[in-house]
Every structure is written in C-alpha cells, then in structure tokens.
C-alpha cells in the first residue's frame, strides 16, 4: 500500500473543480436574477483559489474604482478606455476585467485568481476571450 497520494485528485485540484462549479452556478444565478440579464453581451465568473471567494460580472461600463494592478496591466496594451489590441472592444469593459477587479478590490491576490470561461447569456454558449483579456490575463487564463 502506498502512503498518501491515494485520492484521484489532489486537494487543491478538487477544490478548484468545486469552486469552478460554484462559479458557473453563480453566473447562471446572476443572469436569471438580473433584469435583462439574458440580453447582456457577456458574463464571466472568477474565483480566489485560496479563499474560495467568487465574483461574477457582466460586461459593462468601465468600473469607477479600478485596482492599481489592472491599471498597470491595461497601460501595457494602451490604457483603460482605449481599444487595446482589438478593433472594437474597450479596455475596462469586459466581464473578465470587472470580475477580476472585484476580487482584487476585496483583497484577493492576482496570483490566486482563476477565471471561468466567458458565457454569452443569450445562448449560454462559451465565447473566446478577446485579445485584450488574453494579453492582460494570460497568467490567470493559463492557470484556470
Ligand atoms: Zn475581453
């Protein structure tokens, strides 16, 4: 009999799987509990792999308060309110930006944050991350 390492998943993997499932459920709740939620362009969830804190967000207006780390990252692709690396997106509007910003503002460390896939509420289908998010959140996406 080997000692330890007997579970199918490591504790952290199991935890991540559970948090991801909770985050997807939270996205669905947000969509159904928000007036016009189905007509929003995009929704995403993020979670803190250490604390289990979860944030969900729709794409929308640039947040009033933006964490310094996101300001720094945004600057590298043209800054908040620029098109960044895209033709038509605006840096700061994406659901991913909102969800990660919420977690950072509530005390999470960037290195602990993970993302769900981005969901189009109208169809429930997964949408690819935009070029701005792929660049700004490359480290998070890689670990998610
Ligand atoms: Zn984006």
């Amino acid at each position: 009999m080997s000692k330890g390492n007997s579970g199918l998943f490591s504790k952290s993997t199991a935890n991540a799987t559970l948090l991801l499932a909770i985050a997807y459920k939270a996205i669905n709740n947000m969509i159904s509990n928000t007036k016009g939620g189905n007509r929003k362009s995009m929704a995403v969830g993020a979670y803190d792999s250490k604390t289990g804190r979860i944030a969900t967000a729709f794409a929308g207006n640039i947040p009033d308060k933006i964490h310094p780390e996101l300001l720094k990252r945004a600057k590298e692709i043209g800054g908040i309110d620029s098109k960044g690396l895209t033709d038509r997106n605006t840096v700061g509007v994406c659901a991913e930006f909102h969800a990660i910003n919420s977690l950072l503002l509530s005390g999470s460390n960037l290195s602990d944050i993970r993302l769900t896939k981005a969901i189009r509420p109208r169809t429930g289908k997964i949408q690819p991350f935009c070029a701005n998010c792929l660049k700004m959140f490359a480290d998070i996406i890689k670990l998610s």
Side-chain angles (χ1 to χ4, degrees):
M1 292 275 287
S2 66
K3 269 188 158 182
N5 199 28
S6 55
L8 194 54
F9 300 105
S10 71
K11 194 182 171 199
S12 62
T13 305
N15 201 30
T17 306
L18 180 62
L19 287 171
L20 199 57
I22 295 170
Y24 279 115
K25 193 163 198 295
I27 296 170
N28 287 331
N29 288 342
M30 175 182 73
I31 293 169
S32 50
N33 294 334
T34 301
K35 199 172 178 197
N38 278 318
R39 294 191 300 277
K40 302 275 189 184
S41 62
M42 207 71 87
V44 83
Y47 65 90
D48 183 317
S49 60
K50 287 259 167 68
T51 65
R53 190 187 287 124
I54 287 174
T56 58
F58 291 115
N61 294 341
I62 295 167
D64 292 333
K65 194 173 177 204
I66 300 172
H67 190 275
E69 183 63 37
L70 291 191
L71 288 174
K72 198 171 89 191
R73 289 186 174 209
K75 211 168 179 184
E76 290 167 15
I77 57 168
I80 300 292
D81 209 14
S82 77
K83 301 279 180 234
L85 308 173
T86 70
D87 296 329
R88 58 195 187 98
N89 285 11
T90 302
V91 177
V93 166
C94 283
E96 296 86 339
F97 189 96
H98 281 263
I100 292 170
N101 190 46
S102 298
L103 286 181
L104 288 173
L105 291 177
S106 58
S108 291
N109 295 314
L110 204 54
S111 59
D112 295 331
I113 296 176
R114 305 289 183 268
L115 277 171
T116 68
K117 306 286 186 202
I119 308 286
R120 172 101 57 211
R122 185 169 43 82
T123 61
K125 295 251 166 69
I126 290 169
Q127 297 296 310
F129 295 120
C130 79
N132 294 337
C133 289
L134 284 173
K135 172 71 177 164
M136 282 184 69
F137 308 127
D139 49 348
I140 293 174
I141 290 167
K142 199 175 160 194
L143 292 170
S144 295

